[in-house]
Amino acid sequence: MKEDYLTEEVIAEMRSRYFRERKWRKIEPFRKSAVLAIDLQKYFLSPESRAFLPSVPRFVPRLVKFYSRVRELNVPIIFTRHYHAGGTMARWWGGDMPKDDLLNDLLDEFKPFAETVIEKSTYDAFYGTELEGMLGKLGVETVVVTGVMTHLCCETTAREAFVRGFNVVFPVDGTLTQNRLFHEATLRNLSHGFAVTPLLSEVLEWLLSG
């Protein structure tokens, strides 16, 4: 089920297939933005973890570069950190993700950008957290969703952001999951009804032009 899929060729193909220019033009004027950095934890990004995602070596440098530029532009980056104990998540996945597990710490490469971290216990970064209020206080109009995993926490959070009235940007190369099939399914669904799907580089161009 797992594969190293996030190549430049795949990224270009998915951008060509799912990016909607007319939808992007509708969102472009809403420049008061924040970047959501979903669950960039060692649990998913370190080779010693059973949940390691094979495309991590391609993905992490790309995202670090993006966050570095975003910070220079003074665009807020809000990180989430996931853990759960019991309940539906534990039943579904067959166990807990303990809060104090060292693998649930953020990956070291991302810590310099993690001035704001919200803890969550399910796929939706809005559920039971202060995220919506925080975005409201910042006057945010558009959220840029990045992180892991594409088809679970990232997709759920993108849908919930849309429902709450935010414009949603979901970069093709800004999230990661286990395989191309899961990644592409999310892009197909979100690009139809919830989000625009440009490249990270195009998001930076947009932020720079504001």
Side-chain angles (χ1 to χ4, degrees):
M1 179 179 285
K2 292 184 181 181
E3 61 181 354
D4 178 8
Y5 71 94
L6 202 69
T7 64
E8 295 298 333
E9 293 76 16
V10 168
I11 289 168
E13 180 184 339
M14 288 195 284
R15 193 271 183 195
S16 175
R17 187 171 292 178
Y18 300 112
F19 178 72
R20 301 287 184 267
E21 183 71 33
R22 67 185 184 278
K23 300 295 187 184
W24 183 229
R25 296 302 174 202
K26 292 181 179 180
I27 286 179
E28 278 184 320
F30 298 95
R31 297 185 183 278
K32 188 63 176 176
S33 305
V35 173
L36 304 184
I38 305 295
D39 301 352
L40 291 166
Q41 297 160 236
K42 295 176 182 178
Y43 183 77
F44 304 106
L45 305 177
S46 293
E48 63 268 25
S49 173
R50 64 183 178 85
F52 178 69
L53 303 172
S55 281
V56 161
R58 303 179 189 273
F59 178 69
V60 168
R62 181 185 297 270
L63 208 53
V64 166
K65 182 179 179 180
F66 176 73
Y67 290 159
S68 296
R69 295 299 310 280
V70 166
R71 186 168 62 179
E72 290 172 3
L73 296 171
N74 293 317
V75 174
I77 306 174
I78 301 172
F79 278 72
T80 69
R81 188 170 78 91
H82 180 89
Y83 66 90
H84 63 258
T88 305
M89 293 290 287
R91 287 196 300 274
W92 184 264
W93 294 108
D96 295 335
M97 277 184 68
K99 184 175 182 178
D100 58 355
D101 190 323
L102 294 178
L103 284 175
N104 285 336
D105 194 12
L106 295 177
L107 192 71
D108 291 344
E109 287 89 331
F110 294 115
K111 288 182 179 179
F113 310 103
E115 296 177 1
T116 303
V117 182
I118 290 175
E119 295 183 337
K120 66 182 186 63
S121 58
T122 189
Y123 300 134
D124 176 10
F126 288 92
Y127 182 79
T129 74
E130 65 269 34
L131 178 57
E132 186 170 11
M134 187 177 297
L135 294 173
K137 289 179 181 178
L138 292 169
V140 170
E141 301 169 318
T142 301
V143 295
V144 180
V145 179
T146 62
V148 298
M149 284 197 276
T150 304
H151 71 298
L152 295 175
C153 294
C154 295
E155 179 174 347
T156 304
T157 297
R159 289 171 178 261
E160 289 299 323
F162 181 91
V163 168
R164 286 166 169 76
F166 297 99
N167 300 298
V168 182
V169 178
F170 199 95
V172 167
D173 52 340
T175 67
L176 185 66
T177 188
Q178 293 178 342
N179 57 56
R180 173 176 174 159
L181 213 60
F182 287 157
H183 196 108
E184 189 165 3
T186 288
L187 293 176
R188 178 177 296 193
N189 291 330
L190 292 185
S191 66
H192 180 72
F194 298 92
V196 292
T197 56
L199 302 174
L200 288 171
S201 60
E202 291 173 305
V203 175
L204 285 175
E205 290 173 5
W206 171 60
L207 293 173
L208 281 165
S209 66

